Amino acid sequence: MEWLALEERFALYGGGISFIGTPDEPSTPKASDPTTPVHGPFSADFRWVTLPEVWPHGPIRLTKAQAAVFQALWSFKGELRDGETIMRRAGLESGKPIDVFKVKARDRGKPEAEGPLVAYRELVETRRREGLYWMPCAAAEVSALA
C-alpha cells in the first residue's frame, strides 16, 4: 500500500478529481504502430513489410495468406526449402509461394495490389528449376543475433 498526499497526487477541478501521478512513474505506454518492423522488415504479425529503399509508398499491407508465406519463410531462417514445405507451414493449399502474390489484371497499377509482389521479389530468392525458396534477410537476422 502506498500513501498518497491528496494535494500532491490529485487535482480537484470543477467538482471532479483526477490522479496526477508521480514524477518517477513511467509514462503511459502509447499504442504501438502495427506497421513497425519487428522481424527484419516485417511487423510483429507479418501483416506489414517496410522496404523504403524499393517501395516509396510506405509500409506494404499483406493479406493473411501473404503474411503466412513470409512468416513460414522467416521460420526457416534463410534455409532453402521446397515450395510445398513452405506452403504447408503457411497452412495454404498451393504448391508455390508466388501464387498468393499474383496481381489480378484489374488491380495492375494499384500500389496496394502491387506492393506485396514487389516485397516478394525483393525478399525471396528462388531456384526455380529445383523448386527451392529462401529469404536471405531471415538468415541475416539470425546471424546478427548470434
Side-chain angles (χ1 to χ4, degrees), residues 35 41-43 46-52 54-63 66 70 111-120 123:
T35 66
F42 299 101
S43 64
F46 285 86
R47 290 295 303 266
W48 295 90
V49 60
T50 303
L51 299 169
V54 296
W55 189 254
H57 307 290
I60 300 166
R61 184 181 183 96
L62 304 171
T63 65
Q66 292 164 343
F70 278 132
E112 64 274 8
E114 293 190 358
L117 181 59
V118 169
Y120 178 84
L123 298 171

Side-chain angles (χ1 to χ4, degrees), residues 73 120-127 132-136:
L73 283 160
Y120 178 84
R121 288 181 175 154
E122 179 68 20
L123 298 171
V124 178
E125 299 289 329
T126 64
R127 286 191 189 159
L132 297 174
Y133 304 83
W134 71 100
M135 198 161 50

Side-chain angles (χ1 to χ4, degrees), residues 55 57 103-116 118:
W55 189 254
H57 307 290
V103 179
K104 295 181 170 113
R106 69 173 186 263
D107 294 329
R108 289 204 175 101
K110 296 179 183 175
E112 64 274 8
E114 293 190 358
V118 169

Side-chain angles (χ1 to χ4, degrees), residues 55-107:
W55 189 254
H57 307 290
I60 300 166
R61 184 181 183 96
L62 304 171
T63 65
K64 287 182 181 180
Q66 292 164 343
V69 168
F70 278 132
Q71 189 169 13
L73 283 160
W74 188 266
S75 73
F76 293 120
K77 299 174 174 71
E79 296 175 7
L80 281 74
R81 293 286 195 252
D82 64 90
E84 291 172 2
T85 301
I86 294 164
M87 298 308 278
R88 193 171 34 249
R89 171 80 52 100
L92 301 169
E93 296 293 320
S94 178
K96 296 187 296 183
I98 188 70
D99 291 344
V100 298
F101 292 92
K102 291 181 180 174
V103 179
K104 295 181 170 113
R106 69 173 186 263
D107 294 329

